Amino acid sequence: MKNKFTLLAWIFFICGLLAYLIGWIALLMNKTFWNVPTEFWFYDAITTGIFGLFFLIYSKHTK
């Protein structure tokens, strides 16, 4: 069970990093990708990072 939550945490971290990079690319190019406002990419990156941290902490505390 511990490995599943660790894997899930890393998936969330990678998705958060990708959203952060898409947000910066959209900001620097002054574009919107998939008709999503630029600031939402940063909100998504922060949220997925928080969920990734939650799953990583939860995987460390499970027995």
Side-chain angles (χ1 to χ4, degrees), residues 39-59:
E39 63 268 8
F40 288 170
W41 291 107
F42 296 110
Y43 298 152
D44 182 52
I46 291 169
T47 305
T48 55
I50 289 170
F51 273 100
L53 188 62
F54 168 74
F55 285 126
L56 191 64
I57 290 170
Y58 186 75
S59 72

Side-chain angles (χ1 to χ4, degrees), residues 8-44:
L8 190 62
W10 282 108
I11 289 171
F12 270 85
F13 285 141
I14 291 169
C15 289
L17 185 63
L18 287 174
Y20 186 74
L21 291 175
I22 290 172
W24 270 108
I25 291 169
L27 188 66
L28 293 175
M29 294 178 63
N30 201 16
K31 289 187 170 187
T32 58
F33 292 117
W34 299 289
N35 215 10
V36 175
T38 304
E39 63 268 8
F40 288 170
W41 291 107
F42 296 110
Y43 298 152
D44 182 52

Side-chain angles (χ1 to χ4, degrees), residues 1-3 5-6 53-63:
M1 188 65 103
K2 182 177 177 180
N3 290 335
F5 286 111
T6 305
L53 188 62
F54 168 74
F55 285 126
L56 191 64
I57 290 170
Y58 186 75
S59 72
K60 298 293 181 189
H61 288 291
T62 56
K63 295 183 180 183

